[in-house]
């Protein structure tokens, strides 16, 4: 077992690696070599990455891919996608190509309001608290003016502060429920700074408030933090076409395809076991764009799944229907995204990703990202109701297996050719590699 270490963060990068090699890798040089191999030879760039977080010892690469042919609100986009899962980008590209010949995707931001809360305890008369709040509300707002000034210039700011009585659920528990507009920033720092200022002012004003008894004056702030549940930071995207424009084969007519597709989505609307996987597929597309554009995919994930259960039951984020021979498929998803601040100005690939998208503002990025989710879901359901998911997955996975076996370029060429007409399974790939090598 590795010993307890103190002051680790203060060690140089080389010493951190030395410590790891000694205590975790039995001084095996391979571990050190692997870490060093992934350093960037451009020292400035490496330093930038080192400073993103603490204790950075190397870089962890993910593929930076692109999916072209996305027609969104009549404009063509090439989407940047950062994801390790082999079939996601191919699926997105396929869906994009399919829908660009059928009018493309339509997308619209419905609202952009974000939320933050000051959670506190108050021991006293709730009506007195309400009266106190109404008296100091404008002071609360103005106390944060040094923080909100710049945001207001960009069209954002604090929208509303509400006092919420939560004592029915937890004794003496109240909230300042605050709403914000953060323009093109994701706004986490802005919101949290405002909340901490509100909390400070709230406590100070309570101490000076003559109407409060001594115990009422002692408001205890439990915490001040933004919420990643953003049901009012919402975007919708959709596609539609005549049923007879949908894929058809000798086994499945376009009409049958449409009905089967709608049924597959209906299942995800009532069955949580399916809904979670269905939404996971949506998030394959969403996260890939979110990550490529330097946004916080954990926040997006948390908010999307919470939204999927907003009615008390976890369900699909997409919806499909057939009306008057028209098939339509749509998504509604909360996406608190930013195109300024955070990594957007720092990470060279994030900058490039945003440039690739034509430097979108936050709303446009919300639309593009929702489309990525819808496209991914379309591609997944398309495979599921026709060939099954494994055919495409294993084709893409073939390269991973070949790399695992360190196949040469010549071996790869021959095996890719072989698996064009044969089913890819892990054991079949191994058999074929062995056969090839034995000959
Ligand atoms: C795999 O990453 C995603 C799918 O399972 C999504 C789905 O089942 O809808 C293919």
């Amino acid at each position: 077992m590795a010993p307890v270490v103190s002051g680790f963060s203060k060690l140089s990068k080389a010493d951190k690696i030395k410590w790891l090699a000694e205590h975790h890798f039995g001084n095996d040089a391979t571990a050190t070599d692997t870490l060093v191999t992934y350093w960037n030879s451009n020292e400035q760039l490496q330093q930038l990455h080192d400073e993103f977080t603490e204790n950075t010892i190397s870089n962890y690469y993910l593929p930076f891919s692109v999916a072209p042919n996305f027609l969104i609100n009549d404009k063509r986009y090439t989407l940047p996608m950062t994801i390790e899962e082999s079939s996601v980008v191919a699926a997105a590209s396929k869906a994009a190509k399919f829908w660009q010949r059928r009018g493309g995707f339509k997308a619209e931001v419905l609202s952009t309001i974000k939320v933050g809360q000051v959670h506190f305890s108050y021991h006293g008369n709730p009506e007195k608290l309400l009266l106190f709040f109404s008296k100091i509300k404008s002071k609360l707002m103005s106390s944060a003016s040094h923080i909100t000034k710049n945001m207001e210039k960009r069209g954002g700011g604090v929208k509303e502060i509400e006092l919420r009585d939560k004592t029915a659920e937890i004794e003496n528990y109240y909230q300042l429920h605050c709403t914000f507009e953060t323009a093109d920033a994701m706004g986490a720092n802005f919101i949290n700074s405002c909340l901490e200022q509100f909390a400070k002012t709230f406590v100070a004003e309570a101490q000076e408030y003559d109407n409060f008894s001594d115990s009422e004056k002692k408001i205890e702030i439990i915490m001040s933090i933004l919420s990643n549940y953003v049901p009012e930071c919402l975007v919708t995207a959709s596609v539609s076409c005549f049923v007879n424009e949908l894929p058809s084969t000798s086994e499945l007519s376009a009409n049958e395809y449409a009905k089967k597709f709608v049924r597959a989505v209906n299942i995800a609307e009532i069955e949580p076991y399916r809904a979670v996987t269905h939404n996971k597929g949506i998030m394959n597309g969403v996260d890939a764009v979110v990550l490529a554009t330097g946004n916080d995919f954990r926040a997006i994930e948390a908010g999307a799944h919470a939204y999927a259960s907003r009615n008390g039951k976890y369900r699909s984020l997409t919806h499909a229907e057939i009306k008057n021979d028209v098939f339509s498929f749509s998504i509604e998803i909360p996406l608190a995204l930013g195109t300024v601040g955070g990594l957007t100005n720092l990470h060279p690939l994030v900058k490039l990703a945003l440039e690739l998208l034509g430097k979108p503002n936050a709303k446009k990025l919300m639309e593009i990202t929702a489309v990525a989710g819808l496209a991914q879901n379309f591609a997944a359901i398309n495979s599921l109701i026709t060939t099954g998911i494994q055919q495409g997955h294993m084709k893409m996975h073939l390269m991973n297996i070949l790399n695992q076996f360190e196949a040469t370029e010549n071996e790869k060429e021959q095996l890719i050719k072989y698996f064009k007409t044969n089913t890819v399974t892990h054991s079949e790939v191994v058999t074929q590699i062995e056969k090839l090598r034995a000959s």
Side-chain angles (χ1 to χ4, degrees), residues 85 88 274 277-278 280-282 284 377 380-381 384 389 393:
E85 192 175 321
V88 168
R274 172 58 200 148
T277 317
H278 176 99
K280 187 274 181 186
I282 293 172
N284 277 344
N377 193 219
I381 296 175
L384 287 168
I389 207 74
H393 265 201

